[in-house]
Amino acid sequence: MPSIGHVVVGLAAGRWYARAGGSRAAASAVFVALSTFQDLDFLARRLGAPAGSAWLHRGAIHALATAALAGLAAAALVGGQGRSRAAMALAGALVAASHGLLDTLTGGGAGVMLAWPLTADRFLAPWTWMPAAPMGLRLLSSRGASVALRELVLFGPLLLYVAWPGRPVSALLLRRWCAPSRGAGEAGRRRAAP
């Protein structure tokens, strides 16, 4: 089941990507799909995948190779959305890869098959500072609410970026801080004059 963090990553990528033109809603929809589709692997068991299968949860669909293919598929299906198809393929692959990489930071699992098909080894980050979101309707439990609240705090800065009206604060601050001072040249000329 997609957690709040995966959805927020997709929404933030959609907002960032749409800056070059194109629809923010369309870009957000594409990137949310890219950041969450991996959790469709919960269907593998229902479809008869045996224990130990690479198609079970956090398996082959969470791999970096699958993320690269997802980015290429997005570029082929929706085009560049205001940018080149290559930009969409790269951005889409990075957003899709974020799912598996974020999952390595969660406790309570055997790890993620990031390097599939090269190896079926499962990887976890050396530190697991996020709890794993419960699957299915258990997401609506008190434990699910606790995980959701923690993710809201952890992904708060990205959520603020997504929700901020108009131009994001970071762009406005960078523009203000990096702009040359208008009075600096005039003051320098006055000091140099005899």
Side-chain angles (χ1 to χ4, degrees), residues 86-157:
M88 172 56 82
L90 178 61
L94 291 173
V95 169
S98 74
H99 187 111
L101 294 171
L102 285 172
D103 279 358
T104 67
L105 297 171
T106 63
V112 181
M113 283 188 186
L114 288 177
W116 181 90
L118 300 176
T119 179
D121 291 345
R122 290 178 176 261
F123 298 91
L124 281 175
W127 58 94
T128 53
W129 47 272
M130 292 190 306
M135 300 282 288
L137 292 177
R138 290 180 288 174
L139 192 61
L140 303 175
S141 68
S142 61
R143 182 175 174 278
S146 171
V147 170
L149 183 60
R150 187 165 181 178
E151 285 194 30
L152 282 172
V153 171
L154 290 170
F155 290 95

Side-chain angles (χ1 to χ4, degrees), residues 17-24 80-83:
Y17 192 84
R19 292 180 316 153
S23 165
R24 180 175 165 187
Q81 296 282 311
R83 297 180 188 231

Side-chain angles (χ1 to χ4, degrees), residues 11-103:
L11 290 171
R15 177 170 188 163
W16 174 82
Y17 192 84
R19 292 180 316 153
S23 165
R24 180 175 165 187
S28 293
V30 168
F31 287 111
V32 166
L34 285 165
S35 68
T36 59
F37 80 89
Q38 296 83 346
D39 283 336
L40 288 175
D41 62 7
F42 82 93
L43 294 171
R45 188 172 304 281
R46 292 187 183 155
L47 295 173
S53 170
W55 301 107
L56 292 176
H57 189 54
R58 295 188 174 177
I61 296 177
H62 282 63
L64 297 177
T66 305
L69 291 174
L72 290 171
L77 292 173
V78 300
Q81 296 282 311
R83 297 180 188 231
S84 70
R85 285 184 189 263
M88 172 56 82
L90 178 61
L94 291 173
V95 169
S98 74
H99 187 111
L101 294 171
L102 285 172
D103 279 358

